[in-house]
Amino acid sequence: MKPTLAAALLLAACAAPPPPPPAPAPPAPPPVSAESLVDREGDSVETAVSVPADAPDGGVEFENRWMFARYGRFKRDGGGTGVAEGRRYNVVKIELPDGSRKTVYFDITELWGR
């Protein structure tokens, strides 16, 4: 008796090697502290916000818009300019509606050189 095509396929399928085992899962990433996830942009000269060289009005409008987008309503409460490591910075002290105070650093090097 001659085997049928279906029987031949069944025999061939049984003779095939088993599939390789699945690759192991990649290791879980190391835990990250909540503190390291906090956005520190503008908190220091190292994270200062760059003011574009073509910012109008000496960059004041750019700074105000950035602070409003970041903190909402605020009141300027002082500040000044300074130089650190060859870069020029505008330091702005603000007060928020809840009474908290922030100091925001803007890198004005390119704007200043204009």
Side-chain angles (χ1 to χ4, degrees):
M1 182 157 142
K2 198 173 189 186
T4 64
L5 180 58
L9 289 176
L10 180 62
L11 286 174
C14 291
V32 177
S33 72
E35 179 67 20
S36 68
L37 297 175
V38 174
D39 184 1
R40 300 281 181 205
E41 186 177 22
D43 286 357
S44 66
V45 293
E46 290 83 18
T47 63
V49 178
S50 294
V51 177
D54 60 351
D57 194 23
V60 174
E61 182 180 345
F62 175 88
E63 292 173 357
N64 286 340
R65 287 178 184 259
W66 189 92
M67 289 185 292
F68 184 79
R70 176 79 166 208
Y71 300 111
R73 289 184 34 215
F74 67 92
K75 177 177 83 171
R76 279 183 177 249
D77 198 31
T81 60
V83 177
E85 298 181 18
R87 310 279 308 165
R88 184 166 293 274
Y89 297 93
N90 192 17
V91 181
V92 181
K93 296 183 180 285
I94 61 172
E95 183 179 347
L96 302 178
D98 66 0
S100 62
R101 297 176 184 276
K102 302 275 184 191
T103 301
V104 185
Y105 296 81
F106 292 95
D107 184 339
I108 59 170
T109 306
E110 281 71 33
L111 178 68
W112 193 266
R114 208 177 68 158

